[in-house]
Amino acid sequence: MKLYLDTAEINLIEKAVASGIISGVTTNPSLLAKAGQKDVAQTIKAICQLVDGPVSLEVIGLSKDEMVQEAKEYAQIDPRVVIKIPMIHEGLKAIKELKELGIKTNATLIFSTGQGLLAALAGADYISPFIGRLDDISAEGLDVVAELAQIFDLHGIESEIIAASIRHPRHVIGSALAGAHIATVPWKIVDQMVKHPLTDIGLEKFLADWEKMKNQN
Ligand code: G3P
């Protein structure tokens, strides 16, 4: 199981890279807008220089030709760039063509096992089920991850599952248990995973006892 950071904010990526816990980054148009970096190519290039792993960048075009044209441009930014393609009919055609061109793709906005299977069959290198958004509508996001993992394992499908739209630390654990290859998480979730009140209490006690011992006559 690998962790990617789901952000376009350089300062957060720097923090995550420093702790050695991430091996990639995913972005999307909303995350790039939130980061406020209008020069997308420059932002992605900077991210690629920080992270020695895949960096996903999403196309905006909605036709196969537009997606492929954008993908060719984005692929020139850095060898680490993976092209995010939305799971629509035109996206499947773009994934197929990009596979033939040797450009890696990440099929995004996946909300069903069927969508994930089709994207994998089209040739997507990564499949991104949005588990948080499924949970938001009282569906079971992790079930999609588990079914895709079982199908891919049964049939030797090599696409990797990136559990996305992670809402809390248990989504990360649940994705790992369900068989996701990767979870892409916001920094906030990383922070929540690090912290535990009993760790703080235990550390405080250790330090207090140490000080008590050092001050004994
Ligand atoms: O990678 C997809 C992710 O950024 C979507 O998350 O919280 O907008 O559902 P969210």
Side-chain angles (χ1 to χ4, degrees):
M1 171 78 164
K2 294 176 185 172
L3 281 188
Y4 290 0
L5 201 65
D6 195 35
T7 186
E9 296 176 65
I10 299 291
N11 63 311
L12 298 181
I13 297 168
E14 287 171 337
K15 284 203 278 190
V17 167
S19 55
I21 54 168
I22 64 163
S23 47
V25 165
T26 52
T27 71
N28 63 41
S30 301
L31 292 173
L32 283 161
K34 182 181 176 186
Q37 306 290 337
K38 284 189 178 174
D39 187 335
V40 171
Q42 185 182 348
T43 301
I44 296 297
K45 186 73 186 167
I47 293 172
C48 289
Q49 286 166 352
L50 285 171
V51 179
D52 187 18
V55 176
S56 283
L57 172 57
E58 189 161 340
V59 295
I60 293 296
L62 296 177
S63 73
K64 185 268 286 182
D65 289 343
E66 288 169 333
M67 292 176 189
V68 170
Q69 182 52 41
E70 277 185 73
K72 287 177 179 175
E73 291 167 17
Y74 293 165
Q76 296 302 313
I77 297 172
D78 190 283
R80 296 174 185 83
V81 170
V82 172
I83 309 299
K84 260 191 179 181
I85 303 285
M87 179 53 210
I88 56 177
H89 278 290
E90 288 298 301
L92 289 175
K93 292 191 279 188
I95 287 168
K96 176 191 178 291
E97 188 166 330
L98 292 170
K99 186 75 173 182
E100 291 161 357
L101 293 170
I103 295 176
K104 287 190 180 293
T105 57
N106 176 359
T108 190
L109 289 169
I110 299 273
F111 293 99
S112 71
T113 305
Q115 284 183 314
L117 177 58
L118 291 179
L121 294 177
D125 300 275
Y126 302 95
I127 308 289
S128 291
F130 279 31
I131 63 178
R133 294 192 191 185
L134 283 166
D135 287 10
D136 290 346
I137 61 165
S138 302
E140 287 298 331
L142 285 173
D143 286 354
V144 173
V145 174
E147 287 186 335
L148 284 172
Q150 187 179 357
I151 290 168
F152 288 9
D153 185 46
L154 272 173
H155 299 281
I157 295 173
E158 295 183 358
S159 303
E160 292 191 78
I161 300 164
I162 304 178
S165 185
I166 300 288
R167 292 280 186 273
H168 47 70
R170 288 305 306 176
H171 267 166
V172 179
I173 305 306
S175 297
L177 290 169
H181 302 85
I182 303 151
T184 190
V185 300
W187 173 257
K188 182 184 73 170
I189 306 298
V190 172
D191 199 41
Q192 288 171 340
M193 289 179 75
V194 168
K195 291 175 179 168
H196 194 292
L198 290 180
T199 304
D200 296 340
I201 292 166
L203 189 56
E204 192 175 335
K205 177 82 170 52
F206 286 164
L207 297 177
D209 290 346
W210 179 263
E211 282 307 309
K212 196 186 301 179
M213 175 190 73
K214 298 287 283 181
N215 294 328
Q216 278 172 345
N217 296 328

